[in-house]
Amino acid sequence: MTVVFLITPQDRADAGLDFDALLTPVHSDAAALSVFDAGAARGDGVFETIGVNAGSARKPGPHLARLAASARIMDLPEPHTEQWMHAIKRVVGLMDPHRGGVIRLVITRGTPQSSPTCWITGQESPADVREREDGVSVVLLDRGWPIDIAERAPWMLAGAKTLSYAPNMAALREANRRGADDVVFTSLEGYALEGPTSSLIIRIGRRLVTPTSGDGNLPGTTQQELFDWAEHNGFSTQSRRVRADEVRQADAAWLVSSVRLVVPITAVDGHLMQRDAALSARMNDHLLTLG
């Protein structure tokens, strides 16, 4: 099942709006986007992906906050939080509550003659995600950025979740060519960053560590959920710069995201990793109970 709504965007200051009247349902096979839309022509836009389980969107608030932050970086109008939250609830209400799913929020710059184009989609996802148990092998790939890219070159939009995902998808194809499943990007200085569609977490003893989002990484919503849980379950947490060698030497490592959730890393550049199956299962169980 697929649900699609175009959203007529409103200013954040507007109040008392009929949000339903600003949602236009669209058949999933219908034409809805101009070929001149900047999102299609240039990848000029931002998006968020939210997991759905047990009939509820998982923590939509942090995703909307990150969508607004990406819009600010891109000089796009900030989304009206209440309007988008209403749209999320409408989409969830039309999805099968007994199946998992994915909600996608998109804002583009539109066409030269129009305001930004906004839409929301909901799609069912497989009940079982193989990688949660089987894990993934990764390769370290140089992103070609210095660690201070966000400060040195803000026009590179580091830290914004943009529609320009061609390099990320190219990196995944390169990983496949090298016989691996996924990627951990590295900086020019050899620091580990993030995956093309995920955040990185490593375990060193009883401490969970993630690369800091201030170095061009997206602030991970799922990573933050896990850190909140970990701090109440006997772990300390830390956000800091992580050397690539630390990933290889970690007691365990994961890629985490809103859809796949917690995926253990089984190998880095062919080097077999230690795995913590029990902790992986606990973290996934926790995330699957969140609404």
Side-chain angles (χ1 to χ4, degrees):
M1 179 181 180
T2 302
V3 180
V4 182
F5 285 106
L6 287 174
I7 299 175
T8 302
Q10 298 298 303
D11 187 87
R12 289 174 58 85
D14 289 343
L17 296 169
D18 181 355
F19 292 136
D20 277 325
L22 300 171
L23 290 174
T24 303
V26 179
H27 190 277
S28 59
D29 294 328
L33 191 68
S34 167
V35 295
F36 298 107
D37 190 280
R42 299 178 179 176
D44 190 358
V46 296
F47 76 100
E48 279 291 323
T49 302
I50 304 174
V52 178
N53 53 275
S56 180
R58 288 187 43 255
K59 300 293 183 181
H63 285 280
L64 287 171
R66 192 167 66 177
L67 184 70
S70 294
R72 286 194 296 271
I73 294 172
M74 291 278 288
D75 295 320
L76 287 166
E78 287 190 38
H80 189 300
T81 301
E82 291 77 13
Q83 180 183 22
W84 284 84
M85 188 67 78
H86 178 84
I88 292 168
K89 291 178 181 178
R90 277 290 309 275
V91 170
V92 170
L94 294 170
M95 298 175 71
D96 187 339
H98 303 293
R99 296 178 63 99
V102 179
I103 288 176
R104 187 175 171 92
L105 319 176
V106 184
I107 303 173
T108 82
R109 206 169 300 279
T111 70
Q113 295 78 35
S114 73
S115 60
T117 305
C118 306
W119 70 89
I120 181 171
T121 65
Q123 290 181 291
E124 293 176 355
S125 61
D128 297 318
V129 179
R130 175 189 59 80
E131 294 97 329
R132 289 177 193 161
E133 291 191 6
D134 295 349
V136 292
S137 60
V138 305
V139 291
L140 301 177
L141 294 183
D142 191 340
R143 190 174 239 173
W145 289 356
I147 195 67
D148 61 349
I149 182 66
E151 179 180 352
R152 178 183 298 197
W155 51 88
M156 293 300 292
L157 306 178
K161 195 172 179 70
T162 76
L163 293 173
S164 305
Y165 254 46
N168 292 28
M169 299 300 100
L172 289 174
R173 293 193 296 273
E174 178 62 23
N176 293 160
R177 281 191 284 268
R178 298 187 186 194
D181 305 306
D182 216 314
V183 172
V184 172
F185 287 121
T186 60
S187 73
L188 289 176
E189 301 88 350
Y191 290 104
L193 299 173
E194 61 188 354
T197 62
S198 55
S199 301
L200 171 68
I201 295 176
I202 65 173
R203 180 173 71 79
I204 302 173
R206 298 293 293 178
R207 174 172 294 178
L208 300 185
V209 181
T210 193
T212 178
S213 60
D215 288 332
N217 299 309
L218 281 170
T221 56
T222 305
Q223 168 263 312
Q224 188 57 58
E225 291 173 37
L226 289 170
F227 274 24
D228 292 343
W229 171 86
E231 289 167 2
H232 290 89
N233 284 273
F235 294 89
S236 62
T237 63
Q238 187 177 27
S239 176
R240 63 168 172 82
R241 290 180 177 174
V242 176
R243 299 289 306 184
D245 284 346
E246 290 186 86
V247 181
R248 299 186 186 94
Q249 297 164 7
D251 296 316
W254 300 269
L255 294 177
V256 302
S257 60
S258 298
V259 178
R260 291 191 302 178
L261 302 184
V262 177
V263 174
I265 295 176
T266 61
V268 177
D269 289 337
H271 168 76
L272 293 180
M273 294 286 294
Q274 297 185 73
R275 295 178 61 180
D276 190 336
L279 183 54
S280 298
R282 288 176 66 195
M283 291 192 293
N284 274 317
D285 287 345
H286 168 69
L287 292 174
L288 287 169
T289 65
L290 290 175

